[in-house]
Amino acid sequence: NADLDQRAGDGTSYLQIDPTITNTGSSSGSDWVFDLSTLPTDIVIDSGNIDGVALSSSQSAGVLASAGGTFTTAQVGETKKIHTFTSVGSDSFVVSSGSGTVQYLVIAGGGGGTGDGAGGAGGYKTGTQSVSATTYSITVGDGGTGASYSSAGGDGDNTVFGSVTANGGGGGGKMHVAGTTQDGNDGASGGGGGGEWSNASVGDGGSGISGQGYDGGIGARASPAGAGGGGGGMGGLGQDASGLAGGDGGIGIVNPIAGSTLGELSSGSYYIGGGGGGGTWQTSGQGAGGLGGGGNGLPRTGGSSGATDGTGGGGGGKWDSGGSGDGGSGAVVITYTDDGSITSTSGTVTTVTIATASPVISITYHLQTVPSTISDLSASSNHPNVELTFSTPSNGGNAITS
């Protein structure tokens, strides 16, 4: 809270000044816009600075006169290099010179769907690693192959960066055929269990690996045919089928590499590792693929149920033979601060600016008239990223420091 300078008045009531702060774009280095139009008309802005740099004439005397105004300033940011590897098979991250610390994301291939259980998402590993001028091996895993109702969906392949391995997702379990129904395969995320239409047991969902993914959903029994469970996702369980409705795939996770656009875009974030949706005998009621590239389940009619490559999503299930979705392939993403300490051109390289803080605004002001009470002029608690400081002007006006 601010300390009140009593020289300009003897009141003790407080009025919160709430500057409107608008981020005009994404957090990747876009400008902040500050609207101080809520300042009382008694206040006149004399001078000020943004992170120690003086306000321009358009930001002070004219625009920030008695009733306040609007000014724009760039965010404080950090430039990053991002290297993305999505081609299935062997590759390398080559540091040609320098050394430092990188952040990595390793995504394995998702499991394939079948008739009618869905594939589970591939697993993931993320962390930091010290690197130097050498070559680091990469193997990007493929997604599992979608199968017919007579066999399980294929498991996804592992993805490797150096000594770090993410495990592939489990394939979906097949439906009841000749008295047998299959559980979803275990994997980083478990495949969805198969459904059935007679007295045989339905398939359970496969088990996921803690820290990489979740279990798949259970298949359902219904006449004239059952439905498949949803595949587990990196961020949530695959849903159980119900009657003739296939289970939805488990949700994925937000891509943890700031500035990376790998994944399925939703509400400003990119998601990876959604589980596949379970298939159904009906012409509707198939399970939805999990957010993060999971393939949708299919009815007995045609369509496409493959997961999105590069996300590690699980493939969707389908009731009859043919058309079940392949799992999505994996990826490796590596990022580091672009300060010249590391040099590499491997993979697909992008450069982004990540906002690290909003500016500190310092303003000197005076009061045209002395009101009966003097108010606390501080940044609103609704905008914790902005600090406004007020200092005593040379003409002896009111001084309040937040």
Side-chain angles (χ1 to χ4, degrees):
N1 292 331
D3 296 323
L4 187 64
D5 186 334
Q6 298 289 345
R7 293 177 301 166
D10 58 3
T12 57
S13 64
Y14 290 83
L15 172 66
Q16 187 75 30
I17 300 303
D18 184 4
T20 299
I21 299 115
T22 304
N23 185 355
T24 59
S26 69
S27 61
S28 300
S30 300
D31 290 339
W32 287 99
V33 175
F34 297 87
D35 181 359
L36 302 181
S37 59
T38 56
L39 290 175
T41 56
D42 287 332
I43 292 177
V44 176
I45 305 298
D46 297 310
S47 63
N49 66 73
I50 304 170
D51 288 332
V53 179
L55 297 175
S56 67
S57 58
S58 63
Q59 294 171 332
S60 54
V63 178
L64 298 181
S66 58
T70 301
F71 63 91
T72 301
T73 181
Q75 289 180 348
V76 180
E78 182 179 34
T79 303
K80 295 271 194 176
K81 282 284 178 67
I82 300 176
H83 299 251
T84 305
F85 303 82
T86 55
S87 297
V88 172
S90 299
D91 210 325
S92 298
F93 175 61
V94 180
V95 179
S96 55
S97 64
S99 62
T101 300
V102 301
Q103 180 186 4
Y104 61 80
L105 170 64
V106 181
I107 305 170
T114 186
D116 42 19
Y124 73 101
K125 294 286 184 69
T126 187
T128 59
Q129 178 176 319
S130 297
V131 298
S132 58
T134 190
T135 298
Y136 298 86
S137 62
I138 287 174
T139 302
V140 175
D142 203 356
T145 302
S148 72
Y149 62 85
S150 60
S151 60
D155 295 336
D157 294 335
N158 296 347
T159 292
V160 181
F161 165 51
S163 61
V164 179
T165 299
N167 298 91
K174 67 183 179 68
M175 69 174 72
H176 167 83
V177 177
T180 61
T181 302
Q182 188 176 44
D183 296 341
N185 290 353
D186 297 338
S189 298
E196 70 92 38
W197 63 87
S198 64
N199 294 319
S201 298
V202 296
D204 287 331
S207 297
I209 298 174
S210 178
Q212 293 198 63
Y214 286 78
D215 298 350
I218 302 171
R221 178 188 296 110
S223 178
M234 288 183 183
L237 295 166
Q239 299 301 297
D240 297 342
S242 177
L244 291 173
D248 292 340
I251 192 171
I253 63 168
V254 174
N255 184 336
I257 303 296
S260 171
T261 58
L262 181 67
E264 180 181 354
L265 180 62
S266 176
S267 301
S269 296
Y270 289 88
Y271 287 77
I272 57 174
T280 177
W281 177 86
Q282 299 184 113
T283 56
S284 62
Q286 58 270 27
L291 180 60
N296 293 321
L298 290 178
R300 65 180 185 271
T301 54
S304 176
S305 57
T308 304
D309 283 336
T311 68
K318 185 182 179 186
W319 182 79
D320 62 5
S321 61
S324 296
D326 294 340
S329 59
V332 173
V333 184
I334 300 169
T335 185
Y336 51 88
T337 302
D338 186 22
D339 57 4
S341 60
I342 298 173
T343 301
S344 176
T345 58
S346 303
T348 300
V349 185
T350 55
T351 303
V352 299
T353 300
I354 308 300
T356 56
S358 56
V360 175
I361 314 298
S362 297
I363 296 174
T364 300
Y365 69 93
H366 71 273
L367 300 176
Q368 288 181 314
T369 60
V370 178
S372 59
T373 60
I374 305 300
S375 303
D376 174 12
L377 305 181
S378 62
S380 167
S381 60
N382 293 328
H383 303 293
N385 291 325
V386 177
E387 176 185 344
L388 297 179
T389 60
F390 298 82
S391 56
T392 305
S394 58
N395 60 9
N398 180 43
I400 299 174
T401 301
S402 62

